[in-house]
Amino acid sequence: MAEIEKVVSVLRQQCLWEIHGFDEVGSTMTEARRLAEAGAPSLTVVLADRQTAGRGRYDRIWSSASGEGLWMTALVRPHILPEQAPWFTLGAAVAVAESLVAFGYPAGIKWPNDVLVAQEGPLFRRKLCGIRAEMDVAEDGTLSWINVGIGLNLLQEQFEGSLKDVAASLRMLGEDVPDRAQCACAVLDKLEEMGDIFEREGFAPVRRRWLDLALGLGSEATVRDIEGEQRGVVRDLDEEGHLLLDRAGESQPYRIVAGDLVFTS
């Protein structure tokens, strides 16, 4: 039995999700989009042993070698408004970070949804997991689906090139790494929980959990958004999920809807 088939077999026993596993795909996001457009139900997930064209936020290349990580995309159809869809991406970061903390790893979140090493030391603030989301809005204006792509580094012992000083894996944090099925099931259970919370209570309880895991509050940072480069001190996450940045000489925080955050202190 191929390795990914073993993962799928375990997940089908332990999770309520509809599971699709592949030895190799270009991108699990592409496969999940195809399934979504074909009418696949909520709580469908696509996993791959290897991606040949994995992408992160802003279409950055995501290294997805065979057997070294959890490469998956979760399809959900939450009953929320399209403008609330970014909440689910923030919730996905909470789902991954809380799962890793439960396994004993020091994980935190950099706005909006990067999961980083939260322990002081040589790996501090290196990236463990990237999350990318896309959605579709139906003709009547309602949210049709959200696909949440998750790339979690598990077994890499080192990274090369541009990733050398910015990425980390669970193996680099300790020898006893949970297997892909354990990680996937933990994250999928949390994602399902996020969807239930959004529909019952809205974003507020997830925001509190996000803030509990937030890295860099009070740190100086540079954020590149639609207006250009913004510099200031990371202050908070507002009730809509936007980053609040204190800029020098301004009495009110600057509100960032979308952008790329880089810590400078």
Side-chain angles (χ1 to χ4, degrees):
M1 180 183 290
E3 189 64 30
I4 196 64
E5 292 178 2
K6 297 177 184 178
V7 176
V8 169
S9 178
V10 172
L11 287 177
R12 284 176 176 160
Q13 296 175 46
Q14 297 182 359
C15 297
L16 298 176
W17 292 61
E18 181 177 298
I19 315 294
H20 297 260
F22 297 88
D23 290 326
E24 179 179 293
V25 294
S27 163
T28 60
M29 184 74 82
T30 301
E31 292 298 323
R33 185 187 312 124
R34 179 182 61 79
L35 288 168
E37 291 172 347
S42 188
L43 306 188
T44 293
V45 63
V46 177
L47 302 101
D49 185 61
R50 176 173 181 261
Q51 295 183 118
T52 58
R55 292 290 185 271
R57 294 180 68 228
Y58 302 112
D59 216 30
R60 296 176 179 131
I61 294 174
W62 185 268
S63 177
S64 311
S66 177
E68 291 193 338
L70 176 62
W71 323 128
M72 70 178 187
T73 296
L75 161 63
V76 292
R77 298 184 185 273
H79 298 101
I80 58 177
L81 300 173
E83 56 266 30
Q84 296 170 332
W87 295 354
F88 207 94
T89 311
L90 295 164
V94 172
V96 173
E98 287 187 348
S99 296
L100 295 183
V101 169
F103 283 125
Y105 293 98
I109 302 171
K110 184 188 81 169
W111 183 87
N113 53 22
D114 283 341
V115 178
L116 312 183
V117 177
Q119 180 175 277
E120 294 281 354
L123 300 179
F124 183 52
R125 288 181 180 172
R126 288 199 188 182
K127 191 169 180 177
L128 291 167
C129 179
I131 296 171
R132 178 184 181 184
E134 64 179 13
M135 69 174 189
D136 182 67
V137 178
E139 291 183 2
D140 63 0
T142 60
L143 182 65
S144 179
W145 49 262
I146 303 174
N147 279 341
V148 181
I150 293 171
L152 174 59
N153 298 325
L154 297 180
L155 300 178
Q156 298 93 332
E157 297 186 356
Q158 62 182 3
F159 291 87
E160 304 294 340
S162 62
L163 299 177
K164 182 178 180 180
D165 297 322
V166 298
S169 71
L170 299 192
R171 172 60 55 81
M172 294 165 70
L173 292 169
E175 288 298 316
D176 294 327
V177 178
D179 62 34
R180 283 185 289 181
Q182 288 176 290
C183 289
C185 199
V187 172
L188 292 173
D189 284 348
K190 285 284 186 180
L191 282 175
E192 189 176 352
E193 178 187 341
M194 292 297 114
D196 291 341
I197 290 173
F198 287 138
E199 293 185 21
R200 293 195 319 266
E201 305 175 58
F203 180 57
V206 176
R207 173 179 175 269
R208 290 192 293 269
R209 288 161 69 168
W210 190 98
L211 286 169
D212 286 342
L213 292 158
L215 292 175
L217 294 180
S219 297
E220 294 181 354
T222 297
V223 183
R224 297 176 182 87
D225 71 353
I226 194 171
E227 299 295 331
E229 187 173 272
Q230 314 301 330
R231 299 173 184 267
V233 175
V234 179
R235 174 176 172 178
D236 201 356
L237 187 75
D238 73 11
E239 289 76 10
E240 299 300 320
H242 306 134
L243 187 70
L244 299 180
L245 194 71
D246 285 332
R247 298 192 296 185
E250 298 184 2
S251 59
Q252 296 297 318
Y254 181 80
R255 184 170 177 260
I256 299 171
V257 175
D260 199 15
L261 171 68
V262 177
F263 293 121
T264 55
S265 71

